[in-house]
Amino acid sequence: GEDVEQSLFLSVREGDSSVINCTYTDSSSTYLYWYKQEPGAGLQLLTYIFSNMDMKQDQRLTVLLNKKDKHLSLRIADTQTGDSAIYFCAESKGGSYIPTFGRGTSLIVHP
Amino acid sequence: GAGVSQSPSNKVTEKGKDVELRCDPISGHTALYWYRQSLGQGLEFLIYFQGNSAPDKSGLPSDRFSAERTGGSVSTLTIQRTQQEDSAVYLCASSTPRGRAFFGQGTRLTVV
């Protein structure tokens, strides 16, 4: 299987919470990231978490890490239409710290 | 600069021609990465630089692809004898040695 896996699509109603999930295979991952890509744009680093943390909160964003299950999630509270984008999960490890990406989850926010 | 800058933003080339894509990383970032994003696909790692050296070229898809970095700053990705399957968005990122990677806007390459 892939090193980093995500579901491909998520559809939510405006104002609801969105939860995007990701699993990874390498237990030696040091950093785990969430990137956002809007149409025609590059990748914007949204947030990241060190592997020795289990939660990080930044305004509407909450990242949860279950290191035992190698599961990462991104929760977006009060989702807005401007949050519609592709969200990429990525991990990197010591040495080169080259990020390895999932295939991305397309978040669709509808009124 | 303020962010990672890539040029050109769009490139249309004829099959068989060579192309050069440029990446100007964030000032002070020693690590530089190239990725390729094909339509509907995730990000495919191509090559990584630490300073001017490339310890990991494992992702380059064929010997038509090469990259260099001079002065520990600007990098150029060269694709020789382009093929239609090379059409993709080529993304560059830079980071401090153990920091988070920041991406440019990408170069959209179309081979016709």
Side-chain angles (χ1 to χ4, degrees):
Chain A
E2 307 246 340
D3 292 337
V4 180
E5 290 195 355
Q6 314 176 229
S7 53
L8 293 181
F9 297 99
L10 176 66
S11 178
V12 300
R13 194 181 298 274
E14 190 174 15
D16 287 350
S17 291
S18 308
V19 179
I20 304 172
N21 294 300
C22 169
T23 57
Y24 58 99
T25 58
D26 194 333
S27 58
S28 64
S29 296
T30 305
Y31 284 98
L32 294 124
Y33 313 86
W34 285 104
Y35 285 84
K36 177 183 180 182
Q37 187 179 38
E38 296 183 80
L43 271 71
Q44 172 196 354
L45 178 61
L46 273 184
T47 187
Y48 67 95
I49 190 168
F50 292 106
S51 58
N52 62 358
M53 299 167 63
D54 52 20
M55 184 180 113
K56 181 176 181 180
Q57 186 149 8
D58 183 2
Q59 299 184 335
R60 292 190 298 122
L61 305 179
T62 303
V63 178
L64 294 178
L65 174 62
N66 181 327
K67 197 170 179 182
K68 173 177 168 290
D69 293 340
K70 302 191 195 70
H71 181 267
L72 182 75
S73 68
L74 174 69
R75 179 177 180 269
I76 306 173
D78 187 25
T79 314
Q80 302 298 307
T81 54
D83 295 324
S84 294
I86 302 175
Y87 290 80
F88 289 93
C89 171
E91 60 88 17
S92 68
K93 56 185 73 66
S96 64
Y97 292 94
I98 299 170
T100 299
F101 287 83
R103 297 184 69 174
T105 299
S106 289
L107 175 65
I108 300 160
V109 182
H110 54 90
Chain B
V4 178
S5 177
Q6 292 187 246
S7 60
S9 53
N10 278 285
K11 176 73 176 177
V12 180
T13 191
E14 291 182 354
K15 180 181 168 183
K17 295 280 176 75
D18 297 353
V19 294
E20 281 191 356
L21 312 180
R22 176 188 166 108
C23 173
D24 201 340
I26 293 171
S27 179
H29 280 190
T30 55
L32 186 147
Y33 316 87
W34 283 98
Y35 289 84
R36 177 168 72 174
Q37 185 178 27
S38 302
L39 188 63
Q41 301 296 311
L43 274 75
E44 176 189 5
F45 167 75
L46 297 178
I47 189 169
Y48 153 69
F49 287 92
Q50 184 60 250
N52 288 341
S53 65
D56 191 338
K57 304 180 185 179
S58 62
L60 294 177
S62 77
D63 58 9
R64 295 187 296 105
F65 287 71
S66 63
E68 64 175 17
R69 189 178 186 197
T70 54
S73 181
V74 172
S75 176
T76 303
L77 176 70
T78 302
I79 309 172
Q80 295 178 308
R81 304 181 303 282
T82 50
Q83 304 294 313
Q84 287 186 327
E85 62 261 27
D86 299 334
S87 297
V89 176
Y90 289 82
L91 291 161
C92 174
S94 70
S95 74
T96 54
R98 297 176 65 176
R100 288 82 65 194
F102 292 89
F103 281 79
Q105 295 298 297
T107 294
R108 182 174 298 277
L109 175 66
T110 305
V111 182
V112 297

